[in-house]
Amino acid sequence: MRAFTCDTCGQLLFFENSRCLRCSSRLGFVPSKLDIVVLDRPESAMLRPCANAALAACNWMLEEGDPGPLCRSCRPTRTRPADDDPDGLAAFAKAEAAKRRLIFQLLDLALPIGEDLRFDLLSSRAGPVVTGHDEGVITIDLAESDDARRERRRAELDEPYRTVLGHFRHEIGHYYWPILVERTGELERARALFGDDRRAYEEAIERHYDQGPPPDWSERYVSAYATMHPWEDWAETFAHHLHILDTLQTAAAFGLVVSGPASAPDRSLSSAPSPGAEVRTFDAVVAEWLPLTYALNAINRSMGHEDLYPFTLAPTVIEKLAFVHDRVRAVATAAV
């Protein structure tokens, strides 16, 4: 995520801000600019607030020519809880906040967002909900917005990481499989890395939940769930790639520099993240990423928490991430 500042007073802003806490200027996020602007100015006269401003605390604006009444992030949501479901609406607001971060990153990476992309944000309190992707429709169980429930589920499945944003990033990975792989002549290369996607998916699900992942899964996969099927391996790897790029962008925006411990003057432990990771080679990305994670994990432990980045990237996993990076970079470079 980029860092934002108030154009009126220079105050640091966060992505979710709708008002400056120093000068009280009204603020709105403008998708075409990928920036937060002050609304009390003549140049902002044509901007309109999203209809979800109150319902989902959405600070995105509609620009001239946008159909409305919803912004570019809220518009793809085709199903949400009913107005008489206060608990569902509270969870919906949290999910939309995570989705705005997803859509921001997709726009920032210049990845195509087709009209076929739709979201069903459903509460499992009203009936069974399966988070997943099907022909451009991403379904998210809003129960995942409950921190306690999500943490219980994470512990039950022995997962190192589970967030609403992570769910969005995983499912959008399925959406981009045909766009970045199947339609670009890269299918055979992808199969060489991730496996044959023609394997029966339902049988793979059954086998995974009956037998679990292989004991040596961490040597070849970014997560245990990725072992289920090549499509899941791709989606997990794609999501992880988004995690890395977003965190590096934030580190660069705030000028974070890791010089390495004074007791271990090893140049491989230093990192100075800079903007534009999406257009650099993945070797350069990894060189920035790993030292940053070592420092962030050490800081988290100092606060009494578990590692912020609880992953180990084996060489095979890095090769898969590099493939995803190349596909994303090809799109970003073409857009530039």
Coordinates of all heavy atoms in Angstrom, one line a residue, residues 74-166:
C74 N -17.0 -1.3 -4.8 CA -18.3 -1.9 -4.3 C -19.1 -2.5 -5.5 O -19.9 -3.4 -5.2 CB -19.0 -0.8 -3.6 SG -18.3 -0.3 -2.0
R75 N -19.0 -1.9 -6.7 CA -19.9 -2.3 -7.8 C -19.9 -3.8 -8.1 O -21.0 -4.3 -8.4 CB -19.6 -1.4 -9.0 CG -20.6 -1.4 -10.1 CD -20.2 -0.6 -11.3 NE -19.8 0.8 -10.8 CZ -18.7 1.4 -11.3 NH1 -18.0 0.9 -12.2 NH2 -18.5 2.6 -10.8
P76 N -18.8 -4.5 -8.1 CA -18.8 -5.9 -8.4 C -19.5 -6.8 -7.4 O -19.7 -8.0 -7.7 CB -17.3 -6.3 -8.5 CG -16.6 -5.0 -8.7 CD -17.4 -4.0 -7.9
T77 N -19.8 -6.3 -6.2 CA -20.6 -7.1 -5.2 C -22.0 -7.2 -5.7 O -22.7 -6.2 -5.7 CB -20.5 -6.5 -3.8 OG1 -19.1 -6.4 -3.4 CG2 -21.3 -7.3 -2.8
R78 N -22.4 -8.4 -6.0 CA -23.8 -8.6 -6.4 C -24.7 -9.1 -5.3 O -25.9 -9.0 -5.5 CB -23.8 -9.6 -7.6 CG -23.5 -11.1 -7.3 CD -23.7 -12.0 -8.5 NE -23.6 -13.4 -8.0 CZ -23.8 -14.4 -8.9 NH1 -24.0 -14.2 -10.2 NH2 -23.8 -15.7 -8.4
T79 N -24.2 -9.7 -4.2 CA -25.0 -10.2 -3.2 C -24.4 -9.8 -1.8 O -23.2 -9.9 -1.6 CB -25.1 -11.7 -3.2 OG1 -25.5 -12.1 -4.5 CG2 -26.2 -12.2 -2.2
R80 N -25.2 -9.3 -0.9 CA -24.8 -8.9 0.4 C -25.9 -9.2 1.4 O -27.0 -9.4 1.0 CB -24.4 -7.4 0.5 CG -25.6 -6.4 0.2 CD -25.2 -5.0 0.7 NE -26.2 -4.0 0.4 CZ -27.3 -3.8 1.2 NH1 -27.5 -4.5 2.3 NH2 -28.1 -2.8 0.9
P81 N -25.6 -9.1 2.7 CA -26.7 -9.3 3.7 C -27.8 -8.3 3.6 O -27.6 -7.2 3.1 CB -26.0 -9.2 5.0 CG -24.6 -9.5 4.7 CD -24.3 -9.0 3.3
A82 N -29.0 -8.7 4.0 CA -30.2 -7.8 3.9 C -30.1 -6.7 4.9 O -29.3 -6.7 5.9 CB -31.4 -8.6 4.2
D83 N -30.8 -5.6 4.6 CA -30.7 -4.4 5.5 C -31.2 -4.7 6.9 O -30.9 -3.9 7.8 CB -31.6 -3.3 4.9 CG -31.0 -2.8 3.6 OD1 -29.8 -3.0 3.4 OD2 -31.7 -2.1 2.8
D84 N -32.0 -5.7 7.1 CA -32.5 -6.1 8.5 C -31.6 -7.1 9.2 O -32.0 -7.7 10.2 CB -33.9 -6.6 8.4 CG -34.1 -7.8 7.6 OD1 -33.1 -8.3 7.0 OD2 -35.2 -8.4 7.6
D85 N -30.4 -7.2 8.7 CA -29.4 -8.2 9.3 C -28.2 -7.4 9.8 O -27.2 -7.3 9.1 CB -29.0 -9.2 8.3 CG -28.0 -10.2 8.8 OD1 -27.7 -10.2 10.0 OD2 -27.5 -11.1 8.0
P86 N -28.3 -6.8 11.0 CA -27.2 -5.9 11.5 C -25.9 -6.6 11.7 O -24.8 -6.1 11.4 CB -27.7 -5.4 12.8 CG -28.8 -6.3 13.2 CD -29.4 -6.9 12.0
D87 N -25.9 -7.9 12.1 CA -24.6 -8.6 12.3 C -24.0 -8.9 10.9 O -22.8 -8.8 10.8 CB -24.9 -9.9 13.0 CG -25.3 -9.7 14.5 OD1 -24.9 -8.7 15.0 OD2 -26.0 -10.6 15.0
G88 N -24.9 -9.3 10.0 CA -24.4 -9.5 8.6 C -23.8 -8.3 8.0 O -22.7 -8.3 7.3
L89 N -24.4 -7.2 8.2 CA -24.0 -5.9 7.6 C -22.7 -5.5 8.2 O -21.8 -4.9 7.6 CB -25.0 -4.8 7.8 CG -26.3 -5.0 6.9 CD1 -27.3 -3.9 7.2 CD2 -25.9 -5.0 5.4
A90 N -22.5 -5.7 9.5 CA -21.2 -5.4 10.2 C -20.1 -6.2 9.6 O -19.0 -5.7 9.3 CB -21.3 -5.6 11.7
A91 N -20.3 -7.5 9.4 CA -19.3 -8.3 8.7 C -19.1 -7.9 7.3 O -18.0 -8.0 6.8 CB -19.8 -9.8 8.8
F92 N -20.2 -7.6 6.6 CA -20.1 -7.1 5.2 C -19.2 -5.9 5.1 O -18.3 -5.8 4.2 CB -21.5 -6.8 4.7 CG -21.5 -5.9 3.5 CD1 -21.2 -6.4 2.3 CD2 -22.0 -4.6 3.6 CE1 -21.2 -5.7 1.1 CE2 -22.0 -3.8 2.4 CZ -21.7 -4.3 1.2
A93 N -19.3 -4.9 6.1 CA -18.4 -3.7 6.0 C -16.9 -4.1 6.2 O -16.1 -3.5 5.5 CB -18.8 -2.8 7.1
K94 N -16.6 -5.1 7.0 CA -15.2 -5.5 7.2 C -14.7 -6.2 5.9 O -13.6 -6.0 5.5 CB -15.1 -6.5 8.3 CG -15.4 -5.9 9.7 CD -15.2 -6.9 10.8 CE -15.4 -6.3 12.2 NZ -15.2 -7.3 13.3
A95 N -15.6 -7.0 5.3 CA -15.2 -7.7 4.0 C -15.0 -6.7 2.9 O -14.0 -6.8 2.1 CB -16.3 -8.7 3.6
E96 N -15.8 -5.7 2.8 CA -15.7 -4.6 1.8 C -14.4 -3.8 2.0 O -13.7 -3.4 1.0 CB -16.9 -3.7 1.7 CG -18.1 -4.3 1.1 CD -18.0 -4.5 -0.4 OE1 -16.9 -4.0 -1.0 OE2 -18.9 -5.1 -1.0
A97 N -14.0 -3.6 3.2 CA -12.8 -2.9 3.5 C -11.6 -3.7 3.0 O -10.6 -3.2 2.4 CB -12.6 -2.7 5.0
A98 N -11.6 -5.0 3.2 CA -10.5 -5.9 2.7 C -10.6 -5.9 1.2 O -9.5 -5.9 0.5 CB -10.7 -7.3 3.2
K99 N -11.8 -5.9 0.6 CA -11.9 -6.0 -0.9 C -11.4 -4.7 -1.5 O -10.8 -4.7 -2.6 CB -13.4 -6.2 -1.3 CG -13.6 -6.3 -2.8 CD -14.8 -7.0 -3.2 CE -16.1 -6.3 -2.9 NZ -16.3 -5.2 -3.7
R100 N -11.5 -3.6 -0.8 CA -11.0 -2.3 -1.4 C -9.5 -2.4 -1.5 O -8.9 -1.9 -2.5 CB -11.4 -1.1 -0.5 CG -12.9 -0.7 -0.7 CD -13.2 0.6 -0.1 NE -13.2 0.6 1.3 CZ -14.3 0.2 2.1 NH1 -15.4 -0.2 1.5 NH2 -14.2 0.3 3.4
R101 N -8.8 -3.0 -0.5 CA -7.4 -3.2 -0.6 C -7.0 -4.1 -1.8 O -6.0 -3.9 -2.5 CB -6.8 -3.7 0.7 CG -6.8 -2.7 1.8 CD -6.1 -3.2 3.1 NE -5.9 -2.1 4.0 CZ -4.7 -1.4 4.1 NH1 -3.7 -1.8 3.3 NH2 -4.6 -0.4 4.9
L102 N -7.8 -5.1 -2.0 CA -7.6 -6.0 -3.1 C -7.7 -5.3 -4.4 O -6.8 -5.3 -5.3 CB -8.6 -7.2 -3.1 CG -8.6 -8.1 -4.3 CD1 -7.3 -8.9 -4.4 CD2 -9.8 -8.9 -4.4
I103 N -8.8 -4.6 -4.6 CA -9.1 -3.9 -5.9 C -8.0 -2.8 -6.1 O -7.5 -2.6 -7.2 CB -10.5 -3.2 -5.9 CG1 -11.5 -4.3 -5.8 CG2 -10.7 -2.4 -7.2 CD1 -11.5 -5.4 -6.9
F104 N -7.6 -2.1 -5.0 CA -6.5 -1.1 -5.2 C -5.3 -1.8 -5.7 O -4.7 -1.2 -6.7 CB -6.2 -0.5 -3.8 CG -4.9 0.4 -3.8 CD1 -5.0 1.7 -4.1 CD2 -3.7 -0.2 -3.6 CE1 -3.9 2.5 -4.1 CE2 -2.5 0.6 -3.7 CZ -2.6 1.9 -3.9
Q105 N -4.9 -2.9 -5.2 CA -3.7 -3.6 -5.7 C -3.8 -4.0 -7.1 O -2.9 -3.9 -7.9 CB -3.3 -4.7 -4.8 CG -1.9 -5.3 -5.1 CD -1.5 -6.4 -4.1 OE1 -2.3 -7.0 -3.4 NE2 -0.2 -6.5 -4.0
L106 N -5.0 -4.6 -7.5 CA -5.2 -5.0 -8.9 C -5.0 -3.8 -9.8 O -4.4 -3.9 -10.9 CB -6.5 -5.7 -9.0 CG -6.8 -6.9 -8.1 CD1 -8.2 -7.5 -8.4 CD2 -5.7 -8.0 -8.3
L107 N -5.6 -2.7 -9.4 CA -5.5 -1.5 -10.3 C -4.1 -1.0 -10.3 O -3.6 -0.6 -11.4 CB -6.4 -0.4 -9.7 CG -7.9 -0.6 -9.8 CD1 -8.7 0.5 -9.0 CD2 -8.4 -0.7 -11.2
D108 N -3.4 -1.0 -9.2 CA -2.0 -0.6 -9.1 C -1.1 -1.4 -10.0 O -0.2 -0.9 -10.6 CB -1.6 -0.6 -7.7 CG -0.3 0.2 -7.5 OD1 -0.1 1.3 -8.1 OD2 0.6 -0.2 -6.7
L109 N -1.4 -2.7 -10.1 CA -0.6 -3.7 -10.9 C -1.1 -3.7 -12.3 O -0.5 -4.4 -13.1 CB -0.7 -5.1 -10.3 CG -0.1 -5.3 -8.9 CD1 -0.4 -6.7 -8.4 CD2 1.4 -5.1 -9.0
A110 N -2.1 -2.9 -12.6 CA -2.6 -2.9 -14.0 C -3.1 -4.2 -14.5 O -3.1 -4.5 -15.6 CB -1.6 -2.3 -15.0
L111 N -3.6 -5.1 -13.5 CA -4.2 -6.3 -13.9 C -5.6 -6.1 -14.4 O -6.4 -5.3 -13.8 CB -4.2 -7.3 -12.7 CG -2.9 -7.9 -12.3 CD1 -3.0 -8.6 -11.0 CD2 -2.4 -8.9 -13.4
P112 N -6.0 -6.8 -15.4 CA -7.4 -6.6 -16.0 C -8.5 -7.0 -15.0 O -8.4 -8.1 -14.4 CB -7.4 -7.4 -17.2 CG -6.4 -8.5 -17.0 CD -5.3 -7.8 -16.2
I113 N -9.5 -6.2 -14.9 CA -10.7 -6.5 -14.1 C -11.9 -6.5 -15.0 O -12.4 -5.4 -15.4 CB -10.8 -5.5 -12.9 CG1 -9.6 -5.4 -12.1 CG2 -12.0 -5.8 -12.0 CD1 -9.6 -4.3 -11.0
G114 N -12.4 -7.6 -15.3 CA -13.4 -7.7 -16.3 C -14.8 -7.5 -15.7 O -15.0 -7.6 -14.4
E115 N -15.8 -7.3 -16.5 CA -17.2 -7.1 -16.0 C -17.7 -8.4 -15.5 O -18.7 -8.5 -14.8 CB -18.1 -6.6 -17.2 CG -17.8 -5.2 -17.7 CD -18.0 -4.2 -16.6 OE1 -18.9 -4.4 -15.8 OE2 -17.2 -3.2 -16.5
D116 N -17.0 -9.5 -15.8 CA -17.5 -10.8 -15.3 C -17.1 -11.1 -13.8 O -17.6 -12.0 -13.2 CB -16.9 -12.0 -16.2 CG -15.3 -12.0 -16.1 OD1 -14.7 -10.9 -16.0 OD2 -14.7 -13.1 -16.2
L117 N -16.2 -10.2 -13.3 CA -15.8 -10.4 -11.9 C -16.9 -9.9 -11.0 O -17.3 -8.8 -11.0 CB -14.5 -9.6 -11.6 CG -14.0 -9.8 -10.2 CD1 -13.7 -11.2 -9.8 CD2 -12.8 -8.9 -9.9
R118 N -17.5 -10.8 -10.2 CA -18.5 -10.5 -9.2 C -18.2 -11.2 -7.9 O -17.5 -12.1 -7.8 CB -19.9 -11.1 -9.8 CG -20.4 -10.3 -11.0 CD -20.8 -8.9 -10.6 NE -21.4 -8.2 -11.8 CZ -20.6 -7.3 -12.5 NH1 -19.3 -7.2 -12.3 NH2 -21.2 -6.7 -13.5
F119 N -18.8 -10.6 -6.8 CA -18.6 -11.1 -5.5 C -19.9 -11.3 -4.8 O -20.8 -10.5 -4.8 CB -17.8 -10.1 -4.6 CG -16.4 -9.8 -5.2 CD1 -16.2 -8.9 -6.1 CD2 -15.3 -10.5 -4.6 CE1 -14.9 -8.6 -6.6 CE2 -14.0 -10.3 -5.1 CZ -13.8 -9.4 -6.1
D120 N -20.0 -12.5 -4.2 CA -21.2 -12.8 -3.3 C -20.6 -12.8 -1.9 O -19.8 -13.7 -1.5 CB -21.8 -14.2 -3.7 CG -22.6 -14.2 -5.0 OD1 -22.9 -13.1 -5.4 OD2 -22.8 -15.2 -5.5
L121 N -21.0 -11.9 -1.1 CA -20.6 -11.8 0.3 C -21.7 -12.2 1.2 O -22.7 -11.5 1.4 CB -20.1 -10.3 0.6 CG -19.1 -9.7 -0.3 CD1 -18.7 -8.3 0.1 CD2 -17.9 -10.6 -0.5
L122 N -21.6 -13.5 1.6 CA -22.8 -14.1 2.3 C -22.4 -14.5 3.7 O -21.3 -14.9 4.0 CB -23.1 -15.4 1.5 CG -23.4 -15.2 0.0 CD1 -23.6 -16.5 -0.7 CD2 -24.6 -14.3 -0.2
S123 N -23.4 -14.5 4.6 CA -23.3 -14.9 6.0 C -23.7 -16.3 6.2 O -24.9 -16.7 5.8 CB -24.1 -13.9 6.9 OG -24.0 -14.4 8.2
S124 N -22.9 -17.1 6.7 CA -23.2 -18.5 6.9 C -24.2 -18.7 8.1 O -24.7 -19.8 8.4 CB -21.9 -19.4 7.2 OG -21.2 -18.8 8.3
R125 N -24.5 -17.6 8.8 CA -25.6 -17.7 9.8 C -26.9 -18.0 9.2 O -27.8 -18.5 9.8 CB -25.7 -16.4 10.6 CG -24.4 -16.0 11.4 CD -24.6 -14.8 12.3 NE -23.4 -14.6 13.0 CZ -23.3 -13.7 14.0 NH1 -24.4 -13.1 14.4 NH2 -22.2 -13.5 14.7
A126 N -27.1 -17.6 7.9 CA -28.4 -17.8 7.2 C -28.4 -19.2 6.5 O -29.4 -19.6 5.9 CB -28.6 -16.7 6.2
G127 N -27.3 -19.9 6.5 CA -27.2 -21.2 5.8 C -25.7 -21.4 5.4 O -24.9 -20.5 5.5
P128 N -25.5 -22.6 4.9 CA -24.1 -23.0 4.5 C -23.5 -22.1 3.4 O -24.2 -21.8 2.5 CB -24.2 -24.4 4.0 CG -25.5 -24.9 4.6 CD -26.4 -23.8 4.7
V129 N -22.3 -21.7 3.6 CA -21.6 -20.8 2.6 C -20.2 -21.4 2.4 O -19.5 -21.7 3.3 CB -21.5 -19.4 3.0 CG1 -20.7 -18.6 2.0 CG2 -22.8 -18.7 3.3
V130 N -19.9 -21.6 1.1 CA -18.6 -22.2 0.8 C -17.8 -21.1 0.1 O -18.2 -20.6 -1.0 CB -18.7 -23.4 -0.1 CG1 -17.3 -23.9 -0.5 CG2 -19.5 -24.5 0.6
T131 N -16.7 -20.6 0.7 CA -15.8 -19.7 0.0 C -15.2 -20.3 -1.2 O -14.7 -21.4 -1.1 CB -14.7 -19.2 1.0 OG1 -15.4 -18.5 2.1 CG2 -13.7 -18.3 0.3
G132 N -15.2 -19.6 -2.3 CA -14.7 -20.2 -3.5 C -14.9 -19.3 -4.7 O -15.3 -18.1 -4.6
H133 N -14.5 -19.8 -5.9 CA -14.6 -19.1 -7.2 C -15.2 -20.0 -8.2 O -14.9 -21.2 -8.3 CB -13.2 -18.7 -7.6 CG -13.2 -18.2 -9.0 ND1 -12.9 -19.0 -10.1 CD2 -13.4 -16.9 -9.6 CE1 -13.0 -18.3 -11.2 NE2 -13.2 -17.0 -10.9
D134 N -16.1 -19.4 -9.0 CA -16.7 -20.2 -10.0 C -17.1 -19.2 -11.2 O -18.0 -18.4 -11.1 CB -18.0 -20.8 -9.5 CG -18.7 -21.7 -10.6 OD1 -18.0 -22.2 -11.5 OD2 -19.9 -21.9 -10.5
E135 N -16.3 -19.4 -12.3 CA -16.6 -18.6 -13.5 C -16.7 -17.1 -13.3 O -17.6 -16.4 -13.7 CB -17.9 -19.1 -14.2 CG -17.9 -20.6 -14.6 CD -16.9 -20.8 -15.7 OE1 -16.6 -19.9 -16.5 OE2 -16.4 -22.0 -15.8
G136 N -15.8 -16.6 -12.5 CA -15.7 -15.1 -12.3 C -16.5 -14.7 -11.0 O -16.4 -13.5 -10.7
V137 N -17.2 -15.6 -10.4 CA -17.9 -15.2 -9.2 C -17.2 -15.7 -7.9 O -16.9 -16.9 -7.8 CB -19.4 -15.8 -9.2 CG1 -20.1 -15.4 -7.9 CG2 -20.1 -15.3 -10.4
I138 N -16.8 -14.8 -7.1 CA -16.0 -15.1 -5.9 C -17.0 -15.0 -4.7 O -17.7 -14.0 -4.5 CB -14.9 -14.1 -5.7 CG1 -13.8 -14.4 -6.7 CG2 -14.3 -14.3 -4.3 CD1 -12.6 -13.4 -6.7
T139 N -17.1 -16.1 -4.0 CA -18.0 -16.2 -2.8 C -17.1 -16.1 -1.5 O -16.1 -16.9 -1.4 CB -18.8 -17.4 -2.8 OG1 -19.6 -17.5 -4.0 CG2 -19.7 -17.5 -1.6
I140 N -17.5 -15.2 -0.6 CA -16.8 -15.1 0.7 C -17.7 -15.3 1.8 O -18.8 -14.7 1.8 CB -16.1 -13.7 0.8 CG1 -15.0 -13.5 -0.3 CG2 -15.5 -13.6 2.2 CD1 -13.8 -14.4 -0.2
D141 N -17.4 -16.2 2.7 CA -18.2 -16.4 3.9 C -17.9 -15.3 4.9 O -16.8 -15.2 5.4 CB -17.9 -17.8 4.6 CG -18.7 -18.1 5.8 OD1 -19.6 -17.2 6.1 OD2 -18.5 -19.1 6.4
L142 N -18.9 -14.5 5.2 CA -18.7 -13.3 6.0 C -18.4 -13.7 7.5 O -17.9 -12.8 8.3 CB -19.9 -12.4 6.0 CG -20.1 -11.7 4.7 CD1 -21.4 -10.8 4.7 CD2 -18.9 -10.8 4.3
A143 N -18.6 -14.9 7.8 CA -18.2 -15.4 9.2 C -16.7 -15.3 9.4 O -16.2 -15.2 10.5 CB -18.6 -16.8 9.4
E144 N -15.9 -15.2 8.3 CA -14.5 -15.0 8.3 C -14.1 -13.7 8.9 O -13.0 -13.4 9.2 CB -13.8 -15.3 7.0 CG -13.9 -16.7 6.5 CD -12.9 -17.6 7.3 OE1 -11.8 -17.1 7.7 OE2 -13.3 -18.8 7.6
S145 N -15.1 -12.7 8.9 CA -14.8 -11.4 9.4 C -14.8 -11.4 10.9 O -14.3 -10.4 11.5 CB -15.9 -10.4 8.9 OG -15.8 -10.3 7.5
D146 N -15.3 -12.5 11.6 CA -15.2 -12.6 13.0 C -13.9 -13.1 13.4 O -13.5 -14.2 13.1 CB -16.3 -13.6 13.5 CG -16.4 -13.7 15.0 OD1 -15.5 -14.2 15.6 OD2 -17.4 -13.2 15.5
D147 N -13.1 -12.3 14.1 CA -11.7 -12.6 14.4 C -11.6 -13.9 15.2 O -10.7 -14.7 15.0 CB -11.0 -11.5 15.2 CG -10.9 -10.2 14.3 OD1 -10.9 -10.3 13.1 OD2 -10.7 -9.1 14.9
A148 N -12.5 -14.0 16.2 CA -12.4 -15.2 17.1 C -12.7 -16.5 16.3 O -12.0 -17.5 16.4 CB -13.3 -15.1 18.3
R149 N -13.7 -16.4 15.5 CA -14.1 -17.6 14.7 C -13.0 -18.0 13.7 O -12.7 -19.1 13.5 CB -15.4 -17.4 14.0 CG -15.9 -18.6 13.2 CD -17.1 -18.2 12.3 NE -17.6 -19.4 11.5 CZ -17.0 -19.9 10.5 NH1 -15.8 -19.5 10.0 NH2 -17.5 -21.0 9.9
R150 N -12.5 -17.0 13.1 CA -11.4 -17.2 12.1 C -10.2 -17.8 12.7 O -9.5 -18.7 12.2 CB -11.1 -15.9 11.3 CG -10.2 -16.1 10.1 CD -9.9 -14.8 9.4 NE -9.2 -13.8 10.2 CZ -9.8 -12.8 10.7 NH1 -11.0 -12.5 10.5 NH2 -9.0 -11.9 11.5
E151 N -9.8 -17.3 13.9 CA -8.7 -17.8 14.6 C -8.9 -19.3 15.0 O -8.0 -20.1 14.9 CB -8.3 -17.0 15.8 CG -7.2 -17.5 16.7 CD -5.9 -17.6 15.9 OE1 -5.7 -17.0 14.9 OE2 -5.0 -18.4 16.4
R152 N -10.1 -19.6 15.5 CA -10.4 -21.0 15.8 C -10.2 -21.9 14.6 O -9.7 -23.0 14.6 CB -11.8 -21.1 16.4 CG -12.0 -20.6 17.8 CD -13.3 -21.1 18.4 NE -14.5 -20.8 17.6 CZ -15.1 -19.7 17.7 NH1 -14.8 -18.8 18.7 NH2 -16.2 -19.4 17.0
R153 N -10.8 -21.4 13.4 CA -10.7 -22.2 12.2 C -9.2 -22.3 11.8 O -8.8 -23.4 11.3 CB -11.5 -21.5 11.1 CG -11.6 -22.3 9.8 CD -12.4 -23.5 10.1 NE -12.7 -24.2 8.8 CZ -13.0 -25.5 8.7 NH1 -13.0 -26.3 9.8 NH2 -13.2 -26.1 7.5
R154 N -8.4 -21.3 11.9 CA -7.0 -21.3 11.6 C -6.3 -22.4 12.4 O -5.5 -23.2 11.9 CB -6.4 -20.0 11.8 CG -4.9 -19.9 11.3 CD -4.2 -18.7 11.9 NE -4.0 -18.9 13.3 CZ -3.1 -19.7 13.9 NH1 -2.3 -20.4 13.1 NH2 -3.0 -19.8 15.2
A155 N -6.6 -22.4 13.7 CA -6.0 -23.4 14.6 C -6.4 -24.8 14.3 O -5.6 -25.7 14.3 CB -6.3 -23.0 16.0
E156 N -7.7 -25.0 14.0 CA -8.2 -26.3 13.6 C -7.5 -26.9 12.4 O -7.2 -28.1 12.3 CB -9.7 -26.2 13.4 CG -10.6 -26.0 14.6 CD -12.0 -25.7 14.3 OE1 -12.3 -25.6 13.1 OE2 -12.8 -25.4 15.2
L157 N -7.3 -26.0 11.4 CA -6.7 -26.4 10.1 C -5.1 -26.4 10.2 O -4.5 -26.7 9.2 CB -7.2 -25.6 9.0 CG -8.7 -25.7 8.7 CD1 -9.1 -24.7 7.6 CD2 -9.1 -27.1 8.3
D158 N -4.6 -25.9 11.3 CA -3.1 -25.8 11.5 C -2.5 -24.9 10.4 O -1.5 -25.3 9.8 CB -2.5 -27.2 11.5 CG -1.1 -27.2 12.0 OD1 -0.7 -26.3 12.8 OD2 -0.3 -28.1 11.6
E159 N -3.2 -23.8 10.2 CA -2.7 -22.8 9.2 C -1.8 -21.8 9.9 O -2.2 -21.3 11.0 CB -3.9 -22.2 8.5 CG -4.7 -23.1 7.7 CD -5.9 -22.4 7.1 OE1 -6.3 -21.3 7.6 OE2 -6.5 -22.9 6.1
P160 N -0.7 -21.3 9.3 CA 0.1 -20.3 9.9 C -0.5 -18.9 9.7 O -0.2 -17.9 10.3 CB 1.4 -20.4 9.1 CG 1.0 -20.9 7.8 CD -0.1 -21.9 8.0
Y161 N -1.5 -18.8 8.7 CA -2.0 -17.5 8.3 C -3.4 -17.6 7.8 O -3.7 -18.5 7.0 CB -1.1 -16.9 7.2 CG -1.6 -15.6 6.6 CD1 -1.2 -14.4 7.1 CD2 -2.4 -15.7 5.4 CE1 -1.7 -13.2 6.5 CE2 -2.8 -14.5 4.8 CZ -2.5 -13.3 5.3 OH -2.9 -12.1 4.7
R162 N -4.3 -16.7 8.3 CA -5.7 -16.8 7.8 C -6.3 -15.4 8.0 O -6.5 -15.0 9.2 CB -6.5 -17.8 8.5 CG -7.9 -18.1 7.9 CD -8.6 -19.2 8.7 NE -9.9 -19.5 8.1 CZ -10.1 -20.5 7.2 NH1 -9.2 -21.3 6.8 NH2 -11.4 -20.7 6.8
T163 N -6.6 -14.7 6.9 CA -7.2 -13.3 7.0 C -8.3 -13.2 5.9 O -8.3 -14.0 5.0 CB -6.2 -12.2 6.9 OG1 -5.8 -12.2 5.5 CG2 -5.0 -12.3 7.8
V164 N -9.2 -12.2 6.1 CA -10.2 -12.0 5.1 C -9.5 -11.5 3.8 O -9.9 -12.0 2.7 CB -11.2 -10.9 5.6 CG1 -12.2 -10.6 4.5 CG2 -11.9 -11.4 6.8
L165 N -8.5 -10.7 3.9 CA -7.8 -10.2 2.7 C -7.1 -11.4 2.0 O -7.1 -11.5 0.8 CB -6.8 -9.1 3.1 CG -5.9 -8.5 2.0 CD1 -6.8 -8.0 0.9 CD2 -5.0 -7.5 2.5
G166 N -6.6 -12.3 2.8 CA -6.0 -13.5 2.3 C -6.9 -14.3 1.5 O -6.6 -14.9 0.4

